Amino acid sequence: MDDLKGKLLVIIPAFNEEATIGSVISSVKKEVPEANILVVNDGSRDRTASIAEDSGVTVLNHLYNMGIGATMQTGYKYARLMGYEVAVQVDGDGQHPADQIKYLIAPILNKKADLVVGSRFLGEGTYRPSLARSAGMAIFSKVVSTVIKEKVTDTTSGFRAAGRDCIAFFSSRYPDDYPEVEALVLLHKKGFSIMEVPVRMYERAGGRSSITPVKSVYYMVKVLLAIMVDLVKKVDG
Amino acid sequence: MYYFQIFAILGSITLFALVLDFIRRGLLKEKYSVLWLAAAIVITVLSLKKDLLDWIAWKLGIAYPPSLLFLVAFIFVLLITLHFSVVISILHEKNKVVSQELALLRLALKEAGIKMPGGKK
């Protein structure tokens, strides 16, 4: 994959991830040496930014915490400005093993899909979410699969790869609060092709999920509402 | 003329004057004052023309006409807050774009070897 040099960007969104960001960066460097790495630091108050800078990767710093949606979009804007062909998003908390990135980018390089989602539920895997969470994920999967008329098993997965057109779309339009599910619906509306591939994921090595049990009901309602709204909304860009 | 008329007229004229003064002092942009001024004018007119107020109340089946004034005021308050929600959403989006652009610019400056004047690094 030497011809990928200068064409592949790994975007790592990070908010207070000092415990894990260093090892995430070094494992991406080791597993995908041809990739350029961008850390988008979403206003962390800990040492996330300095650890990332010291490891020699590109760092974009938000002045204040703007949320995961805006953070990913900043990454896609950079990817577009610098003319990357493929952008992969990898969480800064160490959930996404860097050795799986090759499975995400293969369908994009073969022009099989505009967006590839890494799924914990396809193929073998040890991911066992709590009952409440797996119920929520099943509902999202059902709703999204119905809406976009294609089976998506892991709609909340943030382990994804986007091709050039998708990067351009995301840089002009990316959902705000809980963007993973909504992004699929928006892409479908714009006629992009979405594909899932099986990946392995770790339990998070540090930090906590941004979604606490209290927030999860709000999360469900908000995302389902957003999907309904997206269906009637004008999508420019 | 009833007391409630005098009360409503004084109230809405005060509101009108206050809004105009805010505009004059630059505290309020014209485009965010339209609904406020409209509310003041409509309530003043309805309070002055009691026949009109009674007629509309009767048409709507409102037994006690002065409560129509509350309804009108309430509708304006709803419209104004809805307007604010729209304005805040637009501001939110624009603010996000500016912040993202700023992050990209800072990186470009750093890569060009230019130090931010007065910046942290």
Side-chain angles (χ1 to χ4, degrees), chain B residues 1-118:
Chain B
M1 190 173 272
Y2 293 90
Y3 279 128
F4 87 83
Q5 286 176 279
I6 297 164
F7 181 73
I9 292 164
L10 284 179
S12 44
I13 287 176
T14 308
L15 175 66
F16 195 86
L18 206 61
V19 171
L20 283 187
D21 187 50
F22 279 2
I23 297 172
R24 194 182 59 82
R25 283 157 56 194
L27 295 173
L28 183 61
K29 294 249 175 252
E30 287 83 346
K31 66 176 179 179
Y32 301 122
S33 66
V34 177
L35 278 169
W36 287 111
L37 295 175
I41 291 168
V42 169
I43 292 171
T44 309
V45 169
L46 285 178
S47 314
L48 280 171
K49 305 244 176 214
K50 190 162 180 313
D51 291 348
L52 181 64
L53 184 74
D54 290 346
W55 183 77
I56 297 172
W58 175 70
K59 277 284 176 194
L60 292 175
I62 297 170
Y64 179 59
S67 61
L68 177 62
L69 286 182
F70 283 98
L71 178 66
V72 170
F74 180 67
I75 289 172
F76 271 108
V77 170
L78 274 186
L79 284 176
I80 289 167
T81 46
L82 182 62
H83 180 224
F84 284 170
S85 300
V86 172
V87 170
I88 289 170
S89 301
I90 294 169
L91 277 178
H92 171 93
E93 188 61 28
K94 288 183 176 170
N95 192 39
K96 184 185 83 173
V97 173
V98 171
S99 306
Q100 289 174 322
E101 207 64 27
L102 198 59
L104 291 164
L105 265 175
R106 280 181 164 230
L107 176 67
L109 280 179
K110 193 179 154 225
E111 285 182 344
I114 301 169
K115 288 221 163 45
M116 285 276 293

Side-chain angles (χ1 to χ4, degrees), chain A residues 110-151:
Chain A
N110 301 332
K111 307 258 180 276
K112 287 219 184 78
D114 298 306
L115 181 87
V116 179
V117 178
S119 169
R120 287 160 278 197
F121 303 121
L122 288 175
E124 99 280 26
T126 53
Y127 180 68
R128 294 283 173 271
S130 69
L131 190 67
R133 184 168 291 196
S134 60
M137 286 171 150
I139 292 173
F140 285 149
S141 168
K142 197 88 199 154
V143 170
V144 171
S145 301
T146 310
V147 166
I148 76 174
K149 299 176 193 79
E150 199 164 338
K151 183 100 183 110

